[in-house]
């Protein structure tokens, strides 16, 4: 097997640069969302975090520009040197006495935003990701992973509209796309609903699906039927059945889950692809359907997850995976409702 062709994917710098093409209001919203998420390190309450995020951005932008101006003066950012520039900026901020992690994150994000580049989130999956290494060598792919994570989540906040599907039956909405049933009923159209999907996520899903079709996962996948590069719309075989997350609501399934051997085969195939190629399929019960007609589990959402957070899925034991990702799901939703990022600033003007 081969890794996803990187030359076909939108490069990290191009993903960052999408930020510069947004309106001022959209840019401010994404900047606030990044800080709002990172403040989870010290504040749990979402309303308090939002107010603190707005205040933090205002303070650095309007009243205390010393550090932002220092970065701008010392470091020039270009397509050729952007990784080194971001690492240098992180190191520079680490050398400032009394500058705390949250302060460094806000200054770095505002500096990036003023260069027309997307801010970076620093807190995800209960970990703080520092840009900088206190003088130690920092692998460039650490920065690439943060760019992948940050743009994937933040650009979901920028709505987009792809006309032409209004007359079709709407059967669902996910993080990236609206899903419509084709007139014949044999396929579905995944139509981008935000900038992340329109600019790169849908294309990455299409590439991942083609890649997986040449892997042991192939027998668990719907057929790819089309890709429109002009709109980033994916057409895929419609799979009837019941999502795993809905089966978990049934007492009979929780008591005696069926086709476990087959589900373990799907799990092992997805883990093998991740181990060999780093493609992280979201093997979550909301993305896996039981097809009653064929008696098979099917992975119906092929969007690859960012590298950061890939260890959310236990990779060394199907029993641990099934317990954590399936049976512990509802308890986790109540006790740990935010397991990745919290960028929900919808409806609030920043």
């Amino acid at each position: 097997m081969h890794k996803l062709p990187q030359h076909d994917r939108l490069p990290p710098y191009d993903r960052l640069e999408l930020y510069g093409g947004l309106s001022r209001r959209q840019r401010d919203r994404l900047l606030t969302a990044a800080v709002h998420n990172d403040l989870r390190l010290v504040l749990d309450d979402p309303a308090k975090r939002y107010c603190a995020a707005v205040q933090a951005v205002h303070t650095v932008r309007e009243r205390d520009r010393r550090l932002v101006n220092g970065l701008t003066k010392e470091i020039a950012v270009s397509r050729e040197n952007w990784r080194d520039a971001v690492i240098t900026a992180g190191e520079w901020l680490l050398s400032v006495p009394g500058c705390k992690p949250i302060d460094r994150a806000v200054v770095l994000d505002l500096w990036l935003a003023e260069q027309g580049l997307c801010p970076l989130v620093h807190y995800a999956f209960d970990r703080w990701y520092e840009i900088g290494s206190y003088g130690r060598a920092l692998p460039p792919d650490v920065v690439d992973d943060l760019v992948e994570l940050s743009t994937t989540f933040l650009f979901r906040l920028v709505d987009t509209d792809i006309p032409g599907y209004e007359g079709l039956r709407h059967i669902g909405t996910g993080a990236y796309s609206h899903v419509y049933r084709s007139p014949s009923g044999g396929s579905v159209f995944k139509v981008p609903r935000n900038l992340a999907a329109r600019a790169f996520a849908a294309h990455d899903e299409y590439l991942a699906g083609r890649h997986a079709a040449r892997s042991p996962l192939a027998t668990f996948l719907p057929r790819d039927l089309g890709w429109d590069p002009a709109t980033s719309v994916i057409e895929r075989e419609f799979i009837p059945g019941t999502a795993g997350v809905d089966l978990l609501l049934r007492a009979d399934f929780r008591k005696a889950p069926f086709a476990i051997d087959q589900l373990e085969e799907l799990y092992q195939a997805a883990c093998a692809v991740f181990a060999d190629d780093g493609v992280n399929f979201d093997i979550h019960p909301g993305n896996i359907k039981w097809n009653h007609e064929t008696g098979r589990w099917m992975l119906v959402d092929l969007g690859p997850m960012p590298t950061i957070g890939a260890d959310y899925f236990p990779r060394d034991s199907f029993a641990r995976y099934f317990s954590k990702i399936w049976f512990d799901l509802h308890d986790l939703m109540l006790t740990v409702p935010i397991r990745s990022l919290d960028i929900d600033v919808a409806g609030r003007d920043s």
Side-chain angles (χ1 to χ4, degrees), residues 40-62:
R40 287 191 297 135
L41 183 67
V42 293
L43 279 174
D44 290 327
D45 183 84
K48 291 180 180 178
R49 274 194 287 116
Y50 175 74
C51 293
V54 172
Q55 184 60 48
V57 171
H58 174 78
T59 297
V60 174
R61 174 183 278 157
E62 305 295 339

mmCIF file with all atom_site columns, all heavy atoms in Angstrom, residues 40-62:
data_model
loop_
_atom_site.group_PDB
_atom_site.id
_atom_site.type_symbol
_atom_site.label_atom_id
_atom_site.label_alt_id
_atom_site.label_comp_id
_atom_site.label_asym_id
_atom_site.label_entity_id
_atom_site.label_seq_id
_atom_site.pdbx_PDB_ins_code
_atom_site.Cartn_x
_atom_site.Cartn_y
_atom_site.Cartn_z
_atom_site.occupancy
_atom_site.B_iso_or_equiv
_atom_site.pdbx_formal_charge
_atom_site.auth_seq_id
_atom_site.auth_comp_id
_atom_site.auth_asym_id
_atom_site.auth_atom_id
_atom_site.pdbx_PDB_model_num
ATOM 1   N N   . ARG A 1 40 ? -9.666  26.274 27.737 1.00 0.00 ? 40 ARG A N   1
ATOM 2   C CA  . ARG A 1 40 ? -10.113 25.096 28.490 1.00 0.00 ? 40 ARG A CA  1
ATOM 3   C C   . ARG A 1 40 ? -9.029  24.601 29.442 1.00 0.00 ? 40 ARG A C   1
ATOM 4   O O   . ARG A 1 40 ? -9.311  23.888 30.398 1.00 0.00 ? 40 ARG A O   1
ATOM 5   C CB  . ARG A 1 40 ? -10.497 23.967 27.530 1.00 0.00 ? 40 ARG A CB  1
ATOM 6   C CG  . ARG A 1 40 ? -11.805 24.206 26.806 1.00 0.00 ? 40 ARG A CG  1
ATOM 7   C CD  . ARG A 1 40 ? -12.279 22.951 26.089 1.00 0.00 ? 40 ARG A CD  1
ATOM 8   N NE  . ARG A 1 40 ? -11.360 22.520 25.063 1.00 0.00 ? 40 ARG A NE  1
ATOM 9   C CZ  . ARG A 1 40 ? -10.974 21.253 24.885 1.00 0.00 ? 40 ARG A CZ  1
ATOM 10  N NH1 . ARG A 1 40 ? -11.407 20.303 25.676 1.00 0.00 ? 40 ARG A NH1 1
ATOM 11  N NH2 . ARG A 1 40 ? -10.146 20.935 23.902 1.00 0.00 ? 40 ARG A NH2 1
ATOM 12  N N   . LEU A 1 41 ? -7.782  24.980 29.159 1.00 0.00 ? 41 LEU A N   1
ATOM 13  C CA  . LEU A 1 41 ? -6.690  24.598 30.049 1.00 0.00 ? 41 LEU A CA  1
ATOM 14  C C   . LEU A 1 41 ? -6.910  25.125 31.461 1.00 0.00 ? 41 LEU A C   1
ATOM 15  O O   . LEU A 1 41 ? -6.505  24.481 32.436 1.00 0.00 ? 41 LEU A O   1
ATOM 16  C CB  . LEU A 1 41 ? -5.363  25.146 29.494 1.00 0.00 ? 41 LEU A CB  1
ATOM 17  C CG  . LEU A 1 41 ? -4.088  24.784 30.253 1.00 0.00 ? 41 LEU A CG  1
ATOM 18  C CD1 . LEU A 1 41 ? -3.811  23.290 30.151 1.00 0.00 ? 41 LEU A CD1 1
ATOM 19  C CD2 . LEU A 1 41 ? -2.900  25.591 29.732 1.00 0.00 ? 41 LEU A CD2 1
ATOM 20  N N   . VAL A 1 42 ? -7.589  26.291 31.570 1.00 0.00 ? 42 VAL A N   1
ATOM 21  C CA  . VAL A 1 42 ? -7.751  26.910 32.886 1.00 0.00 ? 42 VAL A CA  1
ATOM 22  C C   . VAL A 1 42 ? -9.203  27.222 33.245 1.00 0.00 ? 42 VAL A C   1
ATOM 23  O O   . VAL A 1 42 ? -9.500  27.507 34.406 1.00 0.00 ? 42 VAL A O   1
ATOM 24  C CB  . VAL A 1 42 ? -6.922  28.223 32.976 1.00 0.00 ? 42 VAL A CB  1
ATOM 25  C CG1 . VAL A 1 42 ? -5.442  27.907 32.933 1.00 0.00 ? 42 VAL A CG1 1
ATOM 26  C CG2 . VAL A 1 42 ? -7.290  29.198 31.859 1.00 0.00 ? 42 VAL A CG2 1
ATOM 27  N N   . LEU A 1 43 ? -10.123 27.179 32.269 1.00 0.00 ? 43 LEU A N   1
ATOM 28  C CA  . LEU A 1 43 ? -11.521 27.523 32.527 1.00 0.00 ? 43 LEU A CA  1
ATOM 29  C C   . LEU A 1 43 ? -12.444 26.483 31.903 1.00 0.00 ? 43 LEU A C   1
ATOM 30  O O   . LEU A 1 43 ? -12.338 26.205 30.703 1.00 0.00 ? 43 LEU A O   1
ATOM 31  C CB  . LEU A 1 43 ? -11.864 28.895 31.936 1.00 0.00 ? 43 LEU A CB  1
ATOM 32  C CG  . LEU A 1 43 ? -11.474 30.161 32.708 1.00 0.00 ? 43 LEU A CG  1
ATOM 33  C CD1 . LEU A 1 43 ? -11.783 31.386 31.857 1.00 0.00 ? 43 LEU A CD1 1
ATOM 34  C CD2 . LEU A 1 43 ? -12.225 30.233 34.021 1.00 0.00 ? 43 LEU A CD2 1
ATOM 35  N N   . ASP A 1 44 ? -13.358 25.930 32.688 1.00 0.00 ? 44 ASP A N   1
ATOM 36  C CA  . ASP A 1 44 ? -14.290 24.928 32.162 1.00 0.00 ? 44 ASP A CA  1
ATOM 37  C C   . ASP A 1 44 ? -15.573 25.536 31.607 1.00 0.00 ? 44 ASP A C   1
ATOM 38  O O   . ASP A 1 44 ? -16.102 25.068 30.608 1.00 0.00 ? 44 ASP A O   1
ATOM 39  C CB  . ASP A 1 44 ? -14.653 23.913 33.257 1.00 0.00 ? 44 ASP A CB  1
ATOM 40  C CG  . ASP A 1 44 ? -13.481 23.014 33.624 1.00 0.00 ? 44 ASP A CG  1
ATOM 41  O OD1 . ASP A 1 44 ? -12.670 22.720 32.721 1.00 0.00 ? 44 ASP A OD1 1
ATOM 42  O OD2 . ASP A 1 44 ? -13.373 22.627 34.800 1.00 0.00 ? 44 ASP A OD2 1
ATOM 43  N N   . ASP A 1 45 ? -16.084 26.556 32.260 1.00 0.00 ? 45 ASP A N   1
ATOM 44  C CA  . ASP A 1 45 ? -17.373 27.114 31.887 1.00 0.00 ? 45 ASP A CA  1
ATOM 45  C C   . ASP A 1 45 ? -17.297 27.798 30.516 1.00 0.00 ? 45 ASP A C   1
ATOM 46  O O   . ASP A 1 45 ? -16.524 28.738 30.328 1.00 0.00 ? 45 ASP A O   1
ATOM 47  C CB  . ASP A 1 45 ? -17.830 28.132 32.932 1.00 0.00 ? 45 ASP A CB  1
ATOM 48  C CG  . ASP A 1 45 ? -19.205 28.687 32.617 1.00 0.00 ? 45 ASP A CG  1
ATOM 49  O OD1 . ASP A 1 45 ? -20.193 28.041 32.989 1.00 0.00 ? 45 ASP A OD1 1
ATOM 50  O OD2 . ASP A 1 45 ? -19.280 29.764 31.987 1.00 0.00 ? 45 ASP A OD2 1
ATOM 51  N N   . PRO A 1 46 ? -18.104 27.355 29.532 1.00 0.00 ? 46 PRO A N   1
ATOM 52  C CA  . PRO A 1 46 ? -18.016 27.904 28.170 1.00 0.00 ? 46 PRO A CA  1
ATOM 53  C C   . PRO A 1 46 ? -18.297 29.402 28.099 1.00 0.00 ? 46 PRO A C   1
ATOM 54  O O   . PRO A 1 46 ? -17.622 30.120 27.354 1.00 0.00 ? 46 PRO A O   1
ATOM 55  C CB  . PRO A 1 46 ? -19.065 27.101 27.392 1.00 0.00 ? 46 PRO A CB  1
ATOM 56  C CG  . PRO A 1 46 ? -19.240 25.845 28.162 1.00 0.00 ? 46 PRO A CG  1
ATOM 57  C CD  . PRO A 1 46 ? -19.052 26.228 29.602 1.00 0.00 ? 46 PRO A CD  1
ATOM 58  N N   . ALA A 1 47 ? -19.288 29.881 28.848 1.00 0.00 ? 47 ALA A N   1
ATOM 59  C CA  . ALA A 1 47 ? -19.623 31.304 28.795 1.00 0.00 ? 47 ALA A CA  1
ATOM 60  C C   . ALA A 1 47 ? -18.482 32.154 29.347 1.00 0.00 ? 47 ALA A C   1
ATOM 61  O O   . ALA A 1 47 ? -18.125 33.191 28.768 1.00 0.00 ? 47 ALA A O   1
ATOM 62  C CB  . ALA A 1 47 ? -20.909 31.572 29.573 1.00 0.00 ? 47 ALA A CB  1
ATOM 63  N N   . LYS A 1 48 ? -17.906 31.713 30.450 1.00 0.00 ? 48 LYS A N   1
ATOM 64  C CA  . LYS A 1 48 ? -16.775 32.451 31.025 1.00 0.00 ? 48 LYS A CA  1
ATOM 65  C C   . LYS A 1 48 ? -15.569 32.405 30.082 1.00 0.00 ? 48 LYS A C   1
ATOM 66  O O   . LYS A 1 48 ? -14.847 33.389 29.945 1.00 0.00 ? 48 LYS A O   1
ATOM 67  C CB  . LYS A 1 48 ? -16.407 31.868 32.390 1.00 0.00 ? 48 LYS A CB  1
ATOM 68  C CG  . LYS A 1 48 ? -17.451 32.122 33.469 1.00 0.00 ? 48 LYS A CG  1
ATOM 69  C CD  . LYS A 1 48 ? -17.027 31.522 34.800 1.00 0.00 ? 48 LYS A CD  1
ATOM 70  C CE  . LYS A 1 48 ? -18.078 31.791 35.879 1.00 0.00 ? 48 LYS A CE  1
ATOM 71  N NZ  . LYS A 1 48 ? -17.704 31.167 37.177 1.00 0.00 ? 48 LYS A NZ  1
ATOM 72  N N   . ARG A 1 49 ? -15.378 31.255 29.459 1.00 0.00 ? 49 ARG A N   1
ATOM 73  C CA  . ARG A 1 49 ? -14.264 31.138 28.513 1.00 0.00 ? 49 ARG A CA  1
ATOM 74  C C   . ARG A 1 49 ? -14.446 32.059 27.322 1.00 0.00 ? 49 ARG A C   1
ATOM 75  O O   . ARG A 1 49 ? -13.484 32.660 26.837 1.00 0.00 ? 49 ARG A O   1
ATOM 76  C CB  . ARG A 1 49 ? -14.125 29.692 28.029 1.00 0.00 ? 49 ARG A CB  1
ATOM 77  C CG  . ARG A 1 49 ? -13.292 28.836 28.934 1.00 0.00 ? 49 ARG A CG  1
ATOM 78  C CD  . ARG A 1 49 ? -12.901 27.540 28.285 1.00 0.00 ? 49 ARG A CD  1
ATOM 79  N NE  . ARG A 1 49 ? -14.015 26.613 28.185 1.00 0.00 ? 49 ARG A NE  1
ATOM 80  C CZ  . ARG A 1 49 ? -14.527 26.186 27.054 1.00 0.00 ? 49 ARG A CZ  1
ATOM 81  N NH1 . ARG A 1 49 ? -14.055 26.625 25.901 1.00 0.00 ? 49 ARG A NH1 1
ATOM 82  N NH2 . ARG A 1 49 ? -15.535 25.334 27.046 1.00 0.00 ? 49 ARG A NH2 1
ATOM 83  N N   . TYR A 1 50 ? -15.676 32.168 26.839 1.00 0.00 ? 50 TYR A N   1
ATOM 84  C CA  . TYR A 1 50 ? -15.909 33.048 25.694 1.00 0.00 ? 50 TYR A CA  1
ATOM 85  C C   . TYR A 1 50 ? -15.587 34.497 26.053 1.00 0.00 ? 50 TYR A C   1
ATOM 86  O O   . TYR A 1 50 ? -14.893 35.198 25.313 1.00 0.00 ? 50 TYR A O   1
ATOM 87  C CB  . TYR A 1 50 ? -17.357 32.933 25.218 1.00 0.00 ? 50 TYR A CB  1
ATOM 88  C CG  . TYR A 1 50 ? -17.674 33.922 24.118 1.00 0.00 ? 50 TYR A CG  1
ATOM 89  C CD1 . TYR A 1 50 ? -17.193 33.714 22.831 1.00 0.00 ? 50 TYR A CD1 1
ATOM 90  C CD2 . TYR A 1 50 ? -18.416 35.074 24.376 1.00 0.00 ? 50 TYR A CD2 1
ATOM 91  C CE1 . TYR A 1 50 ? -17.449 34.630 21.826 1.00 0.00 ? 50 TYR A CE1 1
ATOM 92  C CE2 . TYR A 1 50 ? -18.679 35.984 23.370 1.00 0.00 ? 50 TYR A CE2 1
ATOM 93  C CZ  . TYR A 1 50 ? -18.191 35.759 22.098 1.00 0.00 ? 50 TYR A CZ  1
ATOM 94  O OH  . TYR A 1 50 ? -18.428 36.673 21.113 1.00 0.00 ? 50 TYR A OH  1
ATOM 95  N N   . CYS A 1 51 ? -16.080 34.938 27.195 1.00 0.00 ? 51 CYS A N   1
ATOM 96  C CA  . CYS A 1 51 ? -15.798 36.315 27.638 1.00 0.00 ? 51 CYS A CA  1
ATOM 97  C C   . CYS A 1 51 ? -14.300 36.516 27.828 1.00 0.00 ? 51 CYS A C   1
ATOM 98  O O   . CYS A 1 51 ? -13.747 37.558 27.435 1.00 0.00 ? 51 CYS A O   1
ATOM 99  C CB  . CYS A 1 51 ? -16.542 36.626 28.939 1.00 0.00 ? 51 CYS A CB  1
ATOM 100 S SG  . CYS A 1 51 ? -18.335 36.692 28.765 1.00 0.00 ? 51 CYS A SG  1
ATOM 101 N N   . ALA A 1 52 ? -13.632 35.519 28.414 1.00 0.00 ? 52 ALA A N   1
ATOM 102 C CA  . ALA A 1 52 ? -12.189 35.626 28.631 1.00 0.00 ? 52 ALA A CA  1
ATOM 103 C C   . ALA A 1 52 ? -11.430 35.650 27.302 1.00 0.00 ? 52 ALA A C   1
ATOM 104 O O   . ALA A 1 52 ? -10.422 36.349 27.161 1.00 0.00 ? 52 ALA A O   1
ATOM 105 C CB  . ALA A 1 52 ? -11.702 34.469 29.499 1.00 0.00 ? 52 ALA A CB  1
ATOM 106 N N   . ALA A 1 53 ? -11.918 34.885 26.319 1.00 0.00 ? 53 ALA A N   1
ATOM 107 C CA  . ALA A 1 53 ? -11.267 34.858 25.010 1.00 0.00 ? 53 ALA A CA  1
ATOM 108 C C   . ALA A 1 53 ? -11.374 36.201 24.315 1.00 0.00 ? 53 ALA A C   1
ATOM 109 O O   . ALA A 1 53 ? -10.395 36.720 23.760 1.00 0.00 ? 53 ALA A O   1
ATOM 110 C CB  . ALA A 1 53 ? -11.885 33.756 24.138 1.00 0.00 ? 53 ALA A CB  1
ATOM 111 N N   . VAL A 1 54 ? -12.573 36.776 24.322 1.00 0.00 ? 54 VAL A N   1
ATOM 112 C CA  . VAL A 1 54 ? -12.769 38.097 23.710 1.00 0.00 ? 54 VAL A CA  1
ATOM 113 C C   . VAL A 1 54 ? -11.865 39.128 24.379 1.00 0.00 ? 54 VAL A C   1
ATOM 114 O O   . VAL A 1 54 ? -11.208 39.939 23.710 1.00 0.00 ? 54 VAL A O   1
ATOM 115 C CB  . VAL A 1 54 ? -14.249 38.521 23.804 1.00 0.00 ? 54 VAL A CB  1
ATOM 116 C CG1 . VAL A 1 54 ? -14.424 39.968 23.355 1.00 0.00 ? 54 VAL A CG1 1
ATOM 117 C CG2 . VAL A 1 54 ? -15.124 37.600 22.959 1.00 0.00 ? 54 VAL A CG2 1
ATOM 118 N N   . GLN A 1 55 ? -11.805 39.083 25.714 1.00 0.00 ? 55 GLN A N   1
ATOM 119 C CA  . GLN A 1 55 ? -10.986 40.035 26.459 1.00 0.00 ? 55 GLN A CA  1
ATOM 120 C C   . GLN A 1 55 ? -9.501  39.828 26.170 1.00 0.00 ? 55 GLN A C   1
ATOM 121 O O   . GLN A 1 55 ? -8.743  40.800 26.007 1.00 0.00 ? 55 GLN A O   1
ATOM 122 C CB  . GLN A 1 55 ? -11.247 39.895 27.962 1.00 0.00 ? 55 GLN A CB  1
ATOM 123 C CG  . GLN A 1 55 ? -10.496 40.917 28.816 1.00 0.00 ? 55 GLN A CG  1
ATOM 124 C CD  . GLN A 1 55 ? -10.863 42.342 28.462 1.00 0.00 ? 55 GLN A CD  1
ATOM 125 O OE1 . GLN A 1 55 ? -12.047 42.686 28.345 1.00 0.00 ? 55 GLN A OE1 1
ATOM 126 N NE2 . GLN A 1 55 ? -9.868  43.191 28.250 1.00 0.00 ? 55 GLN A NE2 1
ATOM 127 N N   . ALA A 1 56 ? -9.077  38.571 26.088 1.00 0.00 ? 56 ALA A N   1
ATOM 128 C CA  . ALA A 1 56 ? -7.661  38.294 25.838 1.00 0.00 ? 56 ALA A CA  1
ATOM 129 C C   . ALA A 1 56 ? -7.222  38.798 24.470 1.00 0.00 ? 56 ALA A C   1
ATOM 130 O O   . ALA A 1 56 ? -6.152  39.405 24.334 1.00 0.00 ? 56 ALA A O   1
ATOM 131 C CB  . ALA A 1 56 ? -7.407  36.785 25.951 1.00 0.00 ? 56 ALA A CB  1
ATOM 132 N N   . VAL A 1 57 ? -8.041  38.563 23.454 1.00 0.00 ? 57 VAL A N   1
ATOM 133 C CA  . VAL A 1 57 ? -7.701  39.047 22.116 1.00 0.00 ? 57 VAL A CA  1
ATOM 134 C C   . VAL A 1 57 ? -7.670  40.572 22.101 1.00 0.00 ? 57 VAL A C   1
ATOM 135 O O   . VAL A 1 57 ? -6.751  41.185 21.529 1.00 0.00 ? 57 VAL A O   1
ATOM 136 C CB  . VAL A 1 57 ? -8.702  38.507 21.075 1.00 0.00 ? 57 VAL A CB  1
ATOM 137 C CG1 . VAL A 1 57 ? -8.484  39.179 19.728 1.00 0.00 ? 57 VAL A CG1 1
ATOM 138 C CG2 . VAL A 1 57 ? -8.582  36.992 20.952 1.00 0.00 ? 57 VAL A CG2 1
ATOM 139 N N   . HIS A 1 58 ? -8.657  41.204 22.736 1.00 0.00 ? 58 HIS A N   1
ATOM 140 C CA  . HIS A 1 58 ? -8.708  42.666 22.772 1.00 0.00 ? 58 HIS A CA  1
ATOM 141 C C   . HIS A 1 58 ? -7.485  43.240 23.485 1.00 0.00 ? 58 HIS A C   1
ATOM 142 O O   . HIS A 1 58 ? -6.879  44.222 23.023 1.00 0.00 ? 58 HIS A O   1
ATOM 143 C CB  . HIS A 1 58 ? -9.981  43.128 23.475 1.00 0.00 ? 58 HIS A CB  1
ATOM 144 C CG  . HIS A 1 58 ? -10.054 44.610 23.675 1.00 0.00 ? 58 HIS A CG  1
ATOM 145 N ND1 . HIS A 1 58 ? -10.385 45.478 22.659 1.00 0.00 ? 58 HIS A ND1 1
ATOM 146 C CD2 . HIS A 1 58 ? -9.808  45.380 24.770 1.00 0.00 ? 58 HIS A CD2 1
ATOM 147 C CE1 . HIS A 1 58 ? -10.350 46.726 23.117 1.00 0.00 ? 58 HIS A CE1 1
ATOM 148 N NE2 . HIS A 1 58 ? -10.005 46.692 24.401 1.00 0.00 ? 58 HIS A NE2 1
ATOM 149 N N   . THR A 1 59 ? -7.116  42.616 24.603 1.00 0.00 ? 59 THR A N   1
ATOM 150 C CA  . THR A 1 59 ? -5.987  43.127 25.386 1.00 0.00 ? 59 THR A CA  1
ATOM 151 C C   . THR A 1 59 ? -4.693  43.080 24.583 1.00 0.00 ? 59 THR A C   1
ATOM 152 O O   . THR A 1 59 ? -3.932  44.055 24.540 1.00 0.00 ? 59 THR A O   1
ATOM 153 C CB  . THR A 1 59 ? -5.834  42.307 26.687 1.00 0.00 ? 59 THR A CB  1
ATOM 154 O OG1 . THR A 1 59 ? -7.015  42.476 27.474 1.00 0.00 ? 59 THR A OG1 1
ATOM 155 C CG2 . THR A 1 59 ? -4.633  42.781 27.485 1.00 0.00 ? 59 THR A CG2 1
ATOM 156 N N   . VAL A 1 60 ? -4.444  41.956 23.929 1.00 0.00 ? 60 VAL A N   1
ATOM 157 C CA  . VAL A 1 60 ? -3.209  41.825 23.164 1.00 0.00 ? 60 VAL A CA  1
ATOM 158 C C   . VAL A 1 60 ? -3.239  42.701 21.912 1.00 0.00 ? 60 VAL A C   1
ATOM 159 O O   . VAL A 1 60 ? -2.241  43.326 21.546 1.00 0.00 ? 60 VAL A O   1
ATOM 160 C CB  . VAL A 1 60 ? -2.971  40.349 22.789 1.00 0.00 ? 60 VAL A CB  1
ATOM 161 C CG1 . VAL A 1 60 ? -1.766  40.210 21.865 1.00 0.00 ? 60 VAL A CG1 1
ATOM 162 C CG2 . VAL A 1 60 ? -2.764  39.518 24.044 1.00 0.00 ? 60 VAL A CG2 1
ATOM 163 N N   . ARG A 1 61 ? -4.395  42.773 21.277 1.00 0.00 ? 61 ARG A N   1
ATOM 164 C CA  . ARG A 1 61 ? -4.497  43.541 20.021 1.00 0.00 ? 61 ARG A CA  1
ATOM 165 C C   . ARG A 1 61 ? -4.452  45.045 20.262 1.00 0.00 ? 61 ARG A C   1
ATOM 166 O O   . ARG A 1 61 ? -3.801  45.787 19.518 1.00 0.00 ? 61 ARG A O   1
ATOM 167 C CB  . ARG A 1 61 ? -5.795  43.164 19.303 1.00 0.00 ? 61 ARG A CB  1
ATOM 168 C CG  . ARG A 1 61 ? -6.070  44.003 18.063 1.00 0.00 ? 61 ARG A CG  1
ATOM 169 C CD  . ARG A 1 61 ? -7.400  43.626 17.447 1.00 0.00 ? 61 ARG A CD  1
ATOM 170 N NE  . ARG A 1 61 ? -7.307  42.454 16.602 1.00 0.00 ? 61 ARG A NE  1
ATOM 171 C CZ  . ARG A 1 61 ? -8.326  41.667 16.297 1.00 0.00 ? 61 ARG A CZ  1
ATOM 172 N NH1 . ARG A 1 61 ? -9.519  41.917 16.816 1.00 0.00 ? 61 ARG A NH1 1
ATOM 173 N NH2 . ARG A 1 61 ? -8.170  40.639 15.492 1.00 0.00 ? 61 ARG A NH2 1
ATOM 174 N N   . GLU A 1 62 ? -5.123  45.520 21.299 1.00 0.00 ? 62 GLU A N   1
ATOM 175 C CA  . GLU A 1 62 ? -5.314  46.957 21.467 1.00 0.00 ? 62 GLU A CA  1
ATOM 176 C C   . GLU A 1 62 ? -4.445  47.571 22.554 1.00 0.00 ? 62 GLU A C   1
ATOM 177 O O   . GLU A 1 62 ? -4.040  48.732 22.427 1.00 0.00 ? 62 GLU A O   1
ATOM 178 C CB  . GLU A 1 62 ? -6.792  47.245 21.792 1.00 0.00 ? 62 GLU A CB  1
ATOM 179 C CG  . GLU A 1 62 ? -7.781  46.691 20.784 1.00 0.00 ? 62 GLU A CG  1
ATOM 180 C CD  . GLU A 1 62 ? -7.644  47.328 19.412 1.00 0.00 ? 62 GLU A CD  1
ATOM 181 O OE1 . GLU A 1 62 ? -7.090  48.448 19.323 1.00 0.00 ? 62 GLU A OE1 1
ATOM 182 O OE2 . GLU A 1 62 ? -8.077  46.692 18.424 1.00 0.00 ? 62 GLU A OE2 1
#
